[in-house]
Amino acid sequence: MANNLDDAQAELDSVEAELEMVEVQISELLEKQTKLNSRKNKLLQILEGACSSAQPSGSSKLSKPSFSKQDLQHYEESDFSWSKEVQAKLCSVFQLSKFRPLQRAAINLSMSGKDLFLVMPTGRGKSLCYQLPALCSNGFTLVIAPLVSLMEDQLMYLKSVNVPAVTLNASSTKEDSKRILAGMIDKNSPFKLLYVTPEKIAKSKLLMSKLEKAYNMGLLARIAVDEVHCCSQWGHDFRPDYKLLGILKRQLPKVPLVGLTATATSNVLKDCQKILCVQEPVTLTAPFNRPNLYYEVRFKDNEDCTDQIAQLIRERYKNQSGIVYVFSQKDAEVVATDLQKRNILAQPYHANMEPSDKSQVHQQWASKKIQVVVATVAFGMGIDKADVRFVIHHTISKSIENYYQESGRAGRDDGSADCIVFFGFGDIFRISTMVVMENTGQQKLQNMVAYCQNVDRCRRAMMAIHFDEVWNDEECNQMCDVCRHGNDYITMDITKYARDVVTIVEAASSVDEKLTPLKVCDAWLGKGPAKHRKMIKVTSLSRLEVESIIIHLLLHGYFSEDFSFTPYTTHFYLKLGRKAALLKNSNHSITMKMRRRVMSHTTVKKVSESPVEKSSAKVQGKRPADDKKSVAKKVKTLP
Ligand SMILES: Nc1ncnc2c1ncn2[C@H]1C[C@H](O)[C@@H](COP(=O)(O)OP(=O)(O)OP(=O)(O)O)O1
C-alpha cells in the first residue's frame, strides 16, 4: 500500500511538472501567434495599399487604407496651382535641382491643407517638406522642435539662403520676444518660419493667444512638429512637454499639421495622432533603407575595443570624418583620450560640456580640423554633416530606433559609408540598468541585442521587421556583414550547456546568493571564488562562447533580469526565467546559431553546418566526430 502511494505521489509530481511545462509552451505559442497575426495584418495592409516607392496609409483605418496608390500618384504630380512657385524656389532659394523621393508628395499634401505624418530616414530632407511650403504660403509656419541647438542650426542655415526665420525660446530677450509676438500678427509677415520649443507652447499663454489671433487673421499657414515621435511614451525619445501639444489642434483646428520623424513604428504614430488630436492624417513612409550604408556587428573580445577602432580609423578611414558613439560621458572622455594617444584627431562631446565647448567641437569637426567626435547620444539631432564616412558604436545603442537614427548620420551625401557596432557582453547589462525605469526599455534593448546576436538574417531585414516594412533580402546588395559573408555560422546543440549554466544560477539561489552575469561567466569558466567552483561543472568553452550562450538563454526566457536597487545604483543579476523548468525534461533541446568566428575552437556539439562551414571543415580536415569527442573530453566535473 505504502509503495503504491509513493508511486502515485511520484507520478503526480511528474504529471504536475509536465503540466507546468505545457503551460509555458502554450503561453509561448500564444505569444508567437499574437506576433504572427500582427505581422500578417501589417503585410496584408501593405499589399493592399502597396506601391513600390512608398507606403502611404490613412493611419486611422488600418485594414483599408484611405490613402491609396492613386492618391499618392496624384500628389506626386506637378500641376497644382503652386507647383511652378515651389519648383522655382527649390532651385533659386534652396539651390537644389530636384526632389528626393516623397518630398514633392509631402509638399503638395501640406499645401493642399492636409494633416500629414512624414516618416523619412534621417538625413533624407524632411525639413524641406515644411520650409518650402512656408515660403510659398501667406503668413508664417510654426515649427516645434525639441532642442534649442537644433533650432539655431536651422536658423543659421535659413539665414544663409535668405529665408527670414526666428525663434522664441527660454533664452530670447524681452525685446526679441516682443518683436516676434508683434510680427506674428503683422500682415506683412516679417518672417516665414517661427521655431519654438514645446515648453514654450505649454508655458506661454501670451504665445498661445498670439497664435489664436494670427489664426483668426489667416496668418498661421501650418504647424510643423519636428521629431514627432517625442509625443509618445512608446517612442525612443519621449518628452513630457510634447504630450501637451494637443492644445494646438484643439485651439487652431483648421491649420494643417505636419509631424516629422525618422523612426516611428505604426503604434507610436497612432499614439502621436491621438496626443496631437489630429483626426485623419495621411501617413507617408519613405522606405527606411539607406542603400549606401554598410551595416556590420563585431564582437568585443575584451571589454575594450579601442585598439580595433583606432586601427579602423587610421587605415580604412584615413582622413575621413566620422563619429564614435559611446555609452557615457566618462567613456566619451576616456575613449577620446585613448584615440588621441594613438595619434587620431578626436574630441569628446557630451551633454555635460559647456555649450561653447560643444559648439567648438562641432565646428572643428564640420570644418575637418578634427577627424572624429567621440560622443554620447547628446550628439545627434541637428547634426547635418554630409560626408560622414563612418559611425562606429563603441557600445550598442539602447534600441534599434536609436541605432538606426545614430548610424543614419553616416553618408548623408549618398556616398558609401560604414556603420559598425561593437557588441560587448558587459555593455548589455550597463544599458539594462540605465533603462530600467523606461516603459519598454528592456524589450527594446533585447531587440537591439537580438540584432547584434543575429548571424543568419540580413541586418536590413531585421530593421525592416522592426519598422513594420516588407523587405526582400536581395535588395541589401551585400551591404551588411551577414549578406556579405553569408552562411558564416553553425547551428549548435547547446542543451547540455544550458543545463550546466542554469544549474549554477539555481545553486547560487539555493544559498540565497545572487550572481551578476559576469560572475556566472566566471563561475562557469572556473574563475572567481572557490565556493562557486565546488558546486558546478566548469566548462572548457571560450569566454565568447559562454557569453553568447548566456545571452541566448536570456533572450529566449531561460534566464531573466533580477534588478536590485540601492540609493545610488541599480544592479543586474541573473535569475531563472519562465522557460528554465523546461530543461528538466530530458526531451527538451535548445539549438543556437553561432558565428564561426566565435566558435574559434569549437567545443559545442554541431547540429548542422552552413555551406561555408562544410567546405571549410573539409579544408581543415575536421570531422564532426572530433567535436563530440572534444565535448566529452573537455567538460570537467569538479569533486
Ligand atoms: N532634394 C534634395 N536634393 C539634395 N539634397 C537635399 C534635398 N533635400 C534635402 N537635401 C539635403 C539638405 C541637407 O543637407 C540634407 C538633410 O536634410 P534635413 O532636412 O536636415 O534631413 P532630415 O530632417 O530628414 O534629417 P534628420 O532626421 O537628421 O533631422 O539633405
Side-chain angles (χ1 to χ4, degrees):
M1 181 69 180
N3 264 357
N4 277 352
L5 285 180
D6 283 350
D7 288 350
Q9 184 60 50
E11 190 181 345
L12 178 64
D13 289 348
S14 130
V15 168
E16 276 178 348
E18 218 168 311
L19 274 173
E20 210 174 291
M21 281 177 232
V22 170
E23 264 169 43
V24 174
Q25 284 166 332
I26 292 175
S27 79
E28 285 241 297
L29 286 172
L30 286 173
E31 205 176 290
K32 192 167 179 188
Q33 186 187 36
T34 312
K35 275 191 193 152
L36 287 172
N37 270 332
S38 125
R39 184 71 185 147
K40 178 181 158 191
N41 289 339
K42 183 71 203 173
L43 293 171
L44 284 173
Q45 181 201 340
I46 289 170
L47 286 173
E48 269 181 50
C51 70
S52 55
S53 65
Q55 292 146 19
S57 64
S59 51
S60 57
K61 290 175 192 153
L62 273 182
S63 53
K64 192 163 184 278
S66 56
F67 192 77
S68 66
K69 187 176 170 182
Q70 287 75 14
D71 291 331
L72 180 68
Q73 267 166 4
H74 168 66
Y75 285 101
E76 288 282 13
E77 306 281 327
S78 44
D79 54 2
F80 292 89
S81 57
W82 51 79
S83 293
K84 276 203 178 111
E85 187 185 0
V86 163
Q87 187 65 42
K89 290 198 164 131
L90 175 75
C91 304
S92 66
V93 179
F94 293 95
Q95 316 271 313
L96 298 170
S97 55
K98 57 181 186 345
F99 287 110
R100 281 181 175 162
L102 284 193
Q103 283 182 323
R104 194 198 297 277
I107 288 169
N108 284 335
L109 276 157
S110 192
M111 291 295 289
S112 310
K114 298 262 191 277
D115 290 326
L116 170 72
F117 281 149
L118 180 59
V119 186
M120 198 180 254
T122 182
R124 296 314 289 160
K126 288 184 283 298
S127 323
L128 188 78
C129 299
Y130 63 81
Q131 288 169 347
L132 191 43
L135 274 193
C136 301
S137 307
N138 282 336
F140 68 95
T141 291
L142 176 73
V143 187
I144 324 283
L147 297 177
V148 174
S149 62
L150 193 140
M151 294 185 211
E152 282 168 355
D153 287 347
Q154 292 273 352
L155 289 192
M156 230 159 66
Y157 165 70
L158 290 168
K159 195 169 169 202
S160 74
V161 292
N162 291 321
V163 173
V166 290
T167 171
L168 256 185
N169 57 53
S171 53
S172 304
T173 63
K174 259 195 179 150
E175 290 73 45
D176 278 347
S177 302
K178 214 167 141 192
R179 181 175 52 80
I180 291 167
L181 289 167
M184 289 167 67
I185 48 170
D186 181 340
K187 287 197 178 104
N188 295 323
S189 300
F191 47 82
K192 299 307 286 178
L193 293 126
L194 165 59
Y195 284 79
V196 299
T197 51
E199 295 79 44
K200 201 77 195 163
I201 299 283
K203 292 195 185 114
S204 170
K205 285 198 179 121
L206 192 55
L207 173 63
M208 246 351 263
S209 85
K210 279 285 187 289
L211 280 173
E212 283 176 53
K213 216 164 179 185
Y215 172 72
N216 291 328
M217 293 169 72
L219 291 174
L220 180 57
R222 66 184 51 74
I223 299 168
V225 182
D226 202 8
E227 313 290 352
V228 70
H229 57 270
C230 295
C231 291
S232 169
Q233 298 201 42
W234 314 112
H236 54 285
D237 252 332
F238 172 60
R239 312 241 162 169
D241 283 309
Y242 264 75
K243 235 186 147 112
L244 307 172
L245 293 180
I247 190 174
L248 292 169
K249 268 291 187 183
R250 284 199 300 274
Q251 301 298 107
L252 321 162
K254 294 208 173 104
V255 183
L257 181 146
V258 47
L260 308 112
T261 177
T263 40
T265 58
S266 47
N267 285 340
V268 167
L269 281 185
K270 261 189 264 169
D271 203 23
C272 297
Q273 179 187 342
K274 236 192 278 166
I275 288 162
L276 293 173
C277 304
V278 184
Q279 294 295 321
E280 289 230 337
V282 172
T283 301
L284 287 186
T285 306
F288 81 104
N289 184 25
R290 300 272 309 275
N292 57 322
L293 301 188
Y294 176 73
Y295 293 101
E296 180 179 345
V297 177
R298 292 185 179 209
F299 286 99
K300 277 187 184 178
D301 24 18
N302 55 49
E303 285 309 311
D304 188 20
C305 53
T306 314
D307 270 334
Q308 282 187 64
I309 293 179
Q311 193 181 356
L312 280 168
I313 296 174
R314 274 197 313 254
E315 293 169 9
R316 200 192 291 179
Y317 309 119
K318 197 170 178 209
N319 299 326
Q320 295 178 338
S321 294
I323 307 172
V324 174
Y325 275 109
V326 292
F327 171 71
S328 64
Q329 299 181 357
K330 185 165 167 248
D331 286 0
E333 306 275 355
V334 171
V335 174
T337 310
D338 285 349
L339 292 179
Q340 287 162 5
K341 282 183 195 151
R342 291 163 174 85
N343 295 324
I344 292 168
L345 295 172
Q347 287 293 338
Y349 186 107
H350 54 73
N352 218 11
M353 283 164 52
E354 290 297 322
S356 57
D357 292 340
K358 282 199 257 185
S359 96
Q360 192 187 0
V361 172
H362 189 176
Q363 290 305 326
Q364 286 179 330
W365 181 66
S367 58
K368 292 204 162 195
K369 290 201 178 78
I370 59 172
Q371 185 185 4
V372 186
V373 180
V374 183
T376 61
V377 289
F379 191 66
M381 290 176 185
I383 303 301
D384 184 22
K385 184 167 163 62
D387 60 350
V388 176
R389 296 274 72 89
F390 62 94
V391 172
I392 296 177
H393 276 74
H394 177 271
T395 310
I396 60 171
S397 305
K398 64 177 186 170
S399 70
I400 291 192
E401 285 91 339
N402 279 74
Y403 182 63
Y404 178 71
Q405 195 144 17
E406 288 150 20
S407 58
R409 304 209 160 97
R412 280 169 175 251
D413 55 2
D414 296 337
S416 59
D418 293 346
C419 308
I420 301 176
V421 51
F422 280 84
F423 179 38
F425 184 69
D427 294 336
I428 303 172
F429 313 106
R430 288 208 290 168
I431 300 175
S432 186
T433 52
M434 180 183 81
V435 299
V436 71
M437 302 313 277
E438 291 179 21
N439 245 328
T440 48
Q442 299 304 322
Q443 186 51 51
K444 287 182 175 169
L445 176 60
Q446 287 208 354
N447 291 340
M448 182 68 208
V449 173
Y451 169 89
C452 295
Q453 176 97 335
N454 155 66
V455 292
D456 64 338
R457 199 71 219 268
C458 165
R459 302 229 182 260
R460 283 181 165 75
M462 297 205 65
M463 289 197 201
I465 291 170
H466 189 79
F467 293 123
D468 288 336
E469 289 222 14
V470 177
W471 178 252
N472 166 7
D473 287 9
E474 275 162 27
E475 286 177 54
C476 179
N477 211 12
Q478 303 213 335
M479 285 294 278
C480 81
D481 53 348
V482 177
C483 292
R484 191 168 291 182
H485 306 295
N487 296 327
D488 184 16
Y489 65 88
I490 307 164
T491 304
M492 318 300 299
D493 181 343
I494 58 160
T495 318
K496 178 188 165 347
Y497 297 96
R499 288 202 178 103
D500 287 352
V501 66
V502 159
T503 307
I504 297 177
V505 176
E506 220 169 17
S509 130
S510 71
V511 291
D512 266 347
E513 194 184 351
K514 292 182 173 205
L515 296 179
T516 61
L518 203 67
K519 280 213 176 122
V520 175
C521 272
D522 283 348
W524 200 14
L525 287 163
K527 295 177 184 152
K531 63 173 178 170
H532 289 153
R533 294 202 293 267
K534 276 194 196 129
M535 55 191 183
I536 57 156
K537 275 184 191 170
V538 169
T539 184
S540 60
L541 299 175
S542 71
R543 180 167 277 277
L544 269 185
E545 287 166 344
V546 159
E547 289 175 354
S548 283
I549 291 175
I550 292 176
I551 295 169
H552 185 87
L553 296 177
L554 187 58
L555 288 178
H556 290 84
Y558 296 89
F559 281 136
S560 75
E561 313 82 359
D562 183 9
F563 293 109
S564 149
F565 301 93
T566 73
Y568 305 105
T569 176
T570 306
H571 297 286
F572 184 116
Y573 299 106
L574 278 182
K575 65 175 178 188
L576 298 191
R578 68 202 153 86
K579 280 172 73 181
L582 293 178
L583 286 165
K584 297 216 170 9
N585 181 346
S586 58
N587 294 328
H588 186 73
S589 71
I590 311 176
T591 57
M592 150 177 199
K593 291 178 178 134
M594 242 190 239
R595 244 190 228 190
R596 288 203 308 126
R597 270 161 284 165
V598 169
M599 312 294 306
S600 47
H601 42 274
T602 302
T603 50
V604 188
K605 195 168 119 192
K606 283 185 227 173
V607 169
S608 69
E609 295 171 345
S610 66
V612 168
E613 168 63 11
K614 271 186 190 150
S615 59
S616 89
K618 242 189 242 162
V619 173
Q620 294 162 13
K622 255 201 211 169
R623 286 167 297 135
D626 291 345
D627 296 302
K628 281 192 195 146
K629 249 189 250 161
S630 74
V631 170
K633 208 169 55 190
K634 287 186 180 171
V635 176
K636 287 178 261 172
T637 311
L638 288 182

